[in-house]
Amino acid sequence: MRANTVRYEFASDNTAAICPEAWTALVEANAHYAPSYGEDEWTAAVCERIRQSFEVDCDVYFVFTGTAANALGLAQLCQPFHGVICHERAHIQTDEGGAMEFYTRGAKLFLTKTNDGKIDLGETEKLIVQQVELHGHMMRAISIAQATELGTVYTLDEVEAIGAFARAYRMLLHMDGARFANAIASLGCAPKTITWKAGVDVLSFGGTKNGVAAGELVIFFDKTASRDFQYRVKQAGHLGSKMRFLAAPWLGLLNGDVWLRNARHANEAARELAQRLRNETGIENVFPVESNAVFVQLDDQLVQGLHARGWRFYKFVEPDIYRLMCSWSTTDEEISMLVGDLVAIK
């Protein structure tokens, strides 16, 4: 590989292009005039397809980013004196610039620590009982990422246990589903089984990492919880005037279950990458490969060698654990090139 070639294939699933079905749907939506601010046929069609996919009457809202989806969804649930429990590596804690605290006007994140990216209910209970009534935060919500930031996936039993726990403590359950499609593809279950039937109240359903250019969904399974949410979206600057251009690509994903096909491909590519790294370079994955992420331990020589050959990727856990992400468009050739470069460097 030429040293001046920069490659982002495994840096993030955000670096992938728009998938063909989403692009086609966007082009079709661009052909004529249409009503604005979500009054168009594409927005209505996506909302209906979501209700069909989840097999429930739910409220669906569009926002531009995953950060907005998480922060605004939690802000709808929380007052400034509330607490939200999440994992220490949750995206709302590490990568969203305090957006949850900003939009809730002061609610606080309380962190659990485990090695697999999933919250621990024992630690969660301790955090709750440590709050002195009136003088501490009122625990309001639990937020879990599905799939997690470490690429692991909550099983149905795990989500149900967290949902039951939340209900027992009169709390609400939020799911950061930036890679929800990858989790569904991994579990092979119906979307309803690990969301509203398991006790999830609000879902941030990600599309950007699965083939659209922009636009995430905030889905309220308890419609009473979404009262006046449209005003919160508007005030935050996330009510798109040409909403059809956010909605149409989603229609491209949802029709024919392209979203699941894309996610399955990304997951399979990650498993293939992990297997080839193990077999051809002796590099083992650090966390189970359950979605589209592969975490590996690399020394400085390997990292510098890959950078010199143009590969870009992120260090995720200090001091030497790096993340390699696969996407809907990852090819066998790209995997072979990366593995081949590692073999050459070693």
Side-chain angles (χ1 to χ4, degrees):
M1 184 181 295
R2 300 191 309 273
N4 63 350
T5 300
V6 180
R7 305 197 66 124
Y8 293 94
E9 285 91 331
F10 299 98
S12 172
D13 37 9
N14 286 325
T15 63
I18 304 172
C19 76
E21 294 82 1
W23 182 263
T24 298
L26 183 61
V27 171
E28 291 174 353
N30 194 44
H32 304 288
Y33 291 89
S36 54
Y37 297 108
E39 298 298 325
D40 59 274
E41 62 185 89
W42 293 272
T43 301
V46 170
C47 292
E48 183 55 32
R49 286 288 292 113
I50 289 293
R51 296 181 185 111
Q52 292 171 1
S53 296
F54 286 86
E55 302 176 60
V56 70
D57 185 18
C58 53
D59 284 342
V60 183
Y61 298 89
F62 290 84
V63 294
F64 286 93
T65 69
T67 294
N70 286 332
L72 294 176
L74 285 167
Q76 185 71 8
L77 304 182
C78 296
Q79 295 292 334
F81 51 82
H82 281 147
V84 177
I85 298 174
C86 66
H87 191 271
E88 64 175 341
R89 293 199 176 275
H91 205 267
I92 60 174
Q93 159 65 11
T94 62
D95 289 273
E96 295 186 354
M100 193 286 297
E101 294 91 332
F102 176 80
Y103 280 110
T104 60
R105 297 173 293 129
K108 182 178 179 180
L109 292 174
F110 290 81
L111 311 180
T112 72
K113 300 179 181 180
T114 64
N115 294 326
D116 60 2
K118 302 178 183 180
I119 70 164
D120 177 81
L121 288 181
E123 286 193 13
T124 300
E125 189 168 32
K126 289 179 182 178
L127 289 171
I128 294 172
V129 301
Q130 285 170 1
Q131 298 304 302
V132 180
E133 187 175 353
L134 186 59
H135 299 285
H137 283 74
M138 178 187 291
M139 293 302 190
R140 173 64 169 170
I142 297 172
S143 179
I144 61 175
Q146 181 71 315
T148 74
E149 291 299 297
L150 299 184
T152 54
V153 173
Y154 286 92
T155 65
L156 172 58
D157 288 344
E158 288 172 330
V159 180
E160 287 180 337
I162 296 169
F165 179 94
R167 292 293 180 268
Y169 281 93
R170 298 182 180 180
M171 299 172 69
L172 300 170
L173 182 54
H174 167 265
M175 180 177 283
D176 175 356
R179 297 183 177 93
F180 181 76
N182 301 95
I184 290 292
S186 179
L187 294 171
C189 66
K192 66 179 179 181
T193 61
I194 58 166
T195 53
W196 62 270
K197 290 199 74 173
V200 174
D201 297 285
V202 183
L203 169 68
S204 300
F205 189 177
T208 306
K209 301 179 191 302
N210 196 30
V212 303
E216 316 287 284
L217 305 181
V218 185
I219 304 173
F220 290 88
F221 298 109
D222 178 2
K223 298 182 71 172
T224 61
S226 64
R227 182 178 179 182
D228 299 330
F229 185 70
Q230 66 269 29
Y231 289 94
R232 191 180 298 278
V233 171
K234 173 64 177 179
Q235 191 175 64
H238 283 271
L239 179 63
S241 58
K242 295 185 177 181
M243 187 73 80
R244 71 187 188 275
F245 297 129
L246 283 182
W250 266 97
L251 205 56
L253 286 187
L254 293 168
N255 287 340
D257 286 338
V258 171
W259 67 287
L260 282 176
R261 188 187 72 201
N262 284 353
R264 289 191 191 104
H265 176 87
N267 291 359
E268 290 166 2
R271 289 193 294 271
E272 176 68 15
L273 174 60
Q275 183 177 13
R276 292 195 60 180
L277 287 173
R278 183 184 309 112
N279 294 343
E280 298 176 37
T281 71
I283 297 175
E284 297 283 348
N285 49 280
V286 178
F287 306 113
V289 181
E290 296 176 351
S291 56
N292 61 323
V294 179
F295 290 84
V296 290
Q297 190 172 24
L298 301 175
D299 60 34
D300 288 342
Q301 176 190 350
L302 289 176
V303 172
Q304 292 171 10
L306 288 175
H307 285 171
R309 286 163 171 76
W311 296 104
R312 297 294 180 264
F313 49 90
Y314 295 104
K315 180 188 290 186
F316 212 80
V317 182
E318 290 290 348
D320 56 4
I321 296 177
Y322 293 81
R323 186 189 72 174
L324 302 172
M325 293 297 301
C326 295
S327 72
W328 70 268
S329 61
T330 301
T331 65
D332 289 338
E333 180 183 6
E334 290 163 352
I335 292 173
S336 294
M337 292 179 70
L338 177 64
V339 174
D341 279 346
L342 273 167
V343 170
I345 297 166
K346 287 176 74 77

